[in-house]
Amino acid sequence: MCSAQDAAPVETSRAMGARQILSADAPAASGALPVPLGASRPTPRWAYGAIAWLERQALFVTALAAVAGVILGRVPTHLNQDGWLALVDGRYVAQHGIPHNDMLAVMTHGARWIDQQWLAQLAIYGLHQLGGLALYSVVYVALTVGALAMAIVAARRLGGSEAHVVWVLPVAAFLYLAASFQIRTQGFAYPLFVGVLWLLAAEIHAPSRRRVYMVFPLLVLWGNLHGSASLGAGLVALYGVTLLVEDLRAGPPWRVRGRGVALMIGAPLCLLATPYGISGLTYYRETLMNPEFKALVTEWRPITSIYLLAVPFFVAAFATVWALGFSRGRARLFEALALLALIAAAISAVRNVTWFALAAIMLLPSTLGTIAAPRPPAPRRHRLNLALVGASAAFLLVSLITVATKPSSWFESGYDARALTQVAAVVHRRPGVHIYADGHFADWLLWHDPSLAGHIAYDSRLELLTSTQLREVADLSEIRAPGARDPLAGYGLLVLETTDAASRLLLDQPRTHAILRGHGVAVATRSGAQ
């Protein structure tokens, strides 16, 4: 046996970390000797740190890269009417400035148009001008998966262990991705939601004097990108309320901090910092408080309308309520109220399940930490972890290159280009014809042929339609009483989705003559109409 004086220092495998994997002759001291001419230079220390970080986060990095690669491969199925609407409106803003009255559709011609999403639409149009549908799609996927990555990082920074994040992630990530795959302006809101909620939660865990006020510029930006900014403002105001409640519990009313009042008042005011000012509130009223949307748009219906989402959602919701109750007051008041409010919002409308899923990923792991301590980590398999990271990175790179080299027709494989030809031919013969195109095709037609502005009945801007018009569109295929007004009167051309039973009924009506029955679309003329 050798003595301690004779023993050479030995690095354990844990201390060696990434250096064992990369190089056996990496410099051990900070002052490396000059490299002789022709010899290989030592690997920089930042590279060791980066690869060690990737190895530690191999599970999350591999999963996120795989998800991004799969979504990229299925981009054509994610590009639908909302994606085309963003392009159409972005082009309008770029060419004509901020809109105030509609000039694109027949039913809403001259109606007041509050284009709350103007900045996101302008950005999307700019992306298309730079790199076509490929760049547009890649940026959307980056925003969507990037927000998920931010939520995971936030969960860890807020005190959640890796094990508890893994417990929450499968169901929550499924809900988030299943409800967010459609390419549209909402993609810009996902990182902002995570950023706002992260700032509020971080203020609870580690209070600071000024950091929380960063939510205000985020809300101003959000308020010009997507209507979900109202949700962000609501969370900030809720945080202000919890501050007031805590102050009132701790002492007399005159010692209430001004921060809570500032957040309560300032958050809603941020929504007014748009080109429309106070008139912008009209947009939120016409969308959030319009009961007719549920008859036309699936994502405005209750979560129970889609069983594939309802089952995992209620599993996650009940688990969240259980965790909050079982924590016996150790969960922070704001975090508990935010999760409960988002559960209620998701129950009322499918579109809100994405926000609950992101919030659950961020906030639940730290709550679970107050209930059950995480198990000791298993021994790490460094080489296997790095191999998984490398394989997932290669898969993502191949997916990016594949999508970047695809022609425009690949992104539109869900649309039959022959419909464009038939519509153009009819409009050429009958320049004044009005076109009834359902929501799936209206903005696609307008994007490819801007001259159709003023010919299309309506498009995806449903908030511009009156309640009566929304009911007419929803009840279009119903049998009408003799002598009742025909809502299709005046429309000489129909462009309808053939997968919809209501559209098939319209095609079978008298005086309707199909000129194209293509892939998922039918184009028909109507005699006796303009």
Side-chain angles (χ1 to χ4, degrees):
M1 173 180 284
C2 61
S3 64
Q5 290 82 357
D6 299 328
V10 179
E11 277 191 289
T12 64
S13 59
R14 181 179 297 274
M16 290 287 288
R19 287 181 292 170
Q20 286 184 323
I21 302 164
L22 290 176
S23 172
D25 24 342
S30 58
L33 294 175
V35 180
L37 185 63
S40 60
R41 292 185 176 275
T43 305
R45 289 191 172 189
W46 64 264
Y48 286 119
I51 294 181
W53 181 87
L54 287 173
E55 187 277 325
R56 292 194 303 271
Q57 309 298 330
L59 176 63
F60 301 126
V61 172
T62 300
L64 290 170
V67 166
V70 170
I71 295 177
L72 283 170
R74 295 186 55 81
V75 158
T77 64
H78 306 327
L79 184 58
N80 56 21
Q81 57 261 39
D82 285 339
W84 299 115
L85 172 66
L87 287 169
V88 170
D89 291 355
R91 179 175 60 194
Y92 187 96
V93 173
Q95 296 176 352
H96 305 287
I98 302 296
H100 293 276
N101 295 97
D102 180 44
M103 299 295 173
L104 299 178
V106 175
M107 296 175 68
T108 57
H109 185 81
R112 182 174 56 177
W113 178 10
I114 305 295
D115 189 13
Q116 187 270 340
Q117 305 175 21
W118 69 273
L119 186 56
Q121 294 162 351
L122 186 61
I124 286 172
Y125 177 69
L127 289 171
H128 182 274
Q129 294 302 99
L130 288 173
L133 292 174
L135 182 59
Y136 175 18
S137 303
V138 167
V139 169
Y140 181 84
V141 173
L143 289 169
T144 304
V145 179
L148 180 58
M150 286 177 60
I152 294 172
V153 173
R156 299 300 306 277
R157 294 292 181 86
L158 294 173
S161 68
E162 180 178 337
H164 291 146
V165 173
V166 171
W167 289 5
V168 175
L169 195 57
V171 175
F174 170 78
L175 291 171
Y176 169 66
L177 294 171
S180 65
F181 62 86
Q182 295 183 16
I183 298 177
R184 51 183 172 176
T185 54
Q186 187 167 305
F188 289 94
Y190 300 141
L192 291 171
F193 174 85
V194 174
V196 167
L197 186 56
W198 191 350
L199 283 170
L200 298 176
E203 190 66 17
I204 299 173
H205 291 257
S208 67
R209 295 185 61 185
R210 299 178 181 177
R211 179 181 57 197
V212 71
Y213 294 114
M214 290 176 62
V215 298
F216 289 145
L218 292 181
L219 286 178
V220 170
L221 176 61
W222 194 351
N224 289 274
L225 291 170
H226 193 260
S228 56
S230 59
L231 177 64
L235 288 175
V236 174
L238 177 63
Y239 179 72
V241 171
T242 60
L243 289 181
L244 289 178
V245 170
E246 292 172 356
D247 289 346
L248 290 173
R249 285 179 176 178
W254 57 83
R255 291 190 177 180
V256 169
R257 290 171 294 179
R259 178 179 299 187
V261 176
L263 292 172
M264 288 176 56
I265 298 176
L269 291 178
C270 288
L271 301 182
L272 304 181
T274 74
Y276 298 98
I278 196 170
S279 299
L281 296 178
T282 304
Y283 173 85
Y284 296 102
R285 178 176 58 82
E286 293 175 348
T287 53
L288 300 177
M289 302 179 184
N290 195 330
E292 305 297 337
F293 277 13
K294 294 183 178 181
L296 279 175
V297 187
T298 301
E299 64 178 17
W300 283 95
R301 297 171 185 168
I303 189 69
T304 51
S305 63
I306 303 179
Y307 294 122
L308 183 63
L309 290 178
V311 172
F313 165 74
F314 281 110
V315 169
F318 284 129
T320 300
V321 173
W322 173 86
L324 294 175
F326 203 80
S327 64
R328 298 178 181 178
R330 291 187 294 270
R332 280 80 174 178
L333 177 61
F334 166 72
E335 294 178 354
L337 292 177
L339 287 169
L340 293 175
L342 291 171
I343 287 174
I347 291 174
S348 66
V350 173
R351 64 183 292 116
N352 293 324
V353 76
T354 54
W355 315 116
F356 164 70
L358 287 173
I361 293 170
M362 297 171 63
L363 304 180
L364 263 187
S366 60
T367 301
L368 292 174
T370 65
I371 300 172
R375 296 178 180 178
R380 307 195 70 88
R381 299 172 180 251
H382 302 290
R383 293 182 183 274
L384 176 60
N385 289 344
L386 287 176
L388 289 173
V389 170
S392 61
F395 173 64
L396 179 57
L397 180 61
V398 170
S399 299
L400 284 169
I401 294 174
T402 302
V403 170
T405 55
K406 289 288 187 182
S408 295
S409 57
W410 180 77
F411 296 91
E412 299 184 51
S413 57
Y415 292 82
D416 194 332
R418 293 177 296 172
L420 292 170
T421 305
Q422 293 292 339
V423 169
V426 173
V427 172
H428 179 73
R429 294 194 306 268
R430 302 163 58 185
V433 67
H434 285 171
I435 305 167
Y436 188 92
D438 61 24
H440 186 68
F441 295 105
D443 289 294
W444 176 66
L445 292 171
L446 283 170
W447 170 249
H448 284 285
D449 189 355
S451 67
L452 294 179
H455 291 264
I456 302 290
Y458 71 98
D459 68 353
S460 296
R461 298 165 301 151
L462 299 180
E463 70 276 7
L464 301 189
L465 295 170
T466 64
S467 296
T468 301
Q469 290 172 328
L470 285 168
R471 285 192 293 269
E472 285 183 352
V473 172
D475 301 337
L476 194 59
S477 60
E478 293 186 358
I479 299 176
R480 291 179 294 278
R485 190 182 73 85
D486 181 6
L488 290 180
Y491 294 99
L493 186 61
L494 307 180
V495 183
L496 303 173
E497 192 174 7
T498 56
T499 56
D500 184 42
S503 298
R504 291 195 293 271
L505 289 175
L506 293 177
L507 293 171
D508 292 336
Q509 289 186 353
R511 301 184 294 110
T512 301
H513 312 282
I515 59 177
L516 171 67
R517 291 184 182 270
H519 175 60
V521 62
V523 180
T525 58
R526 300 184 79 238
S527 57
Q530 183 178 358

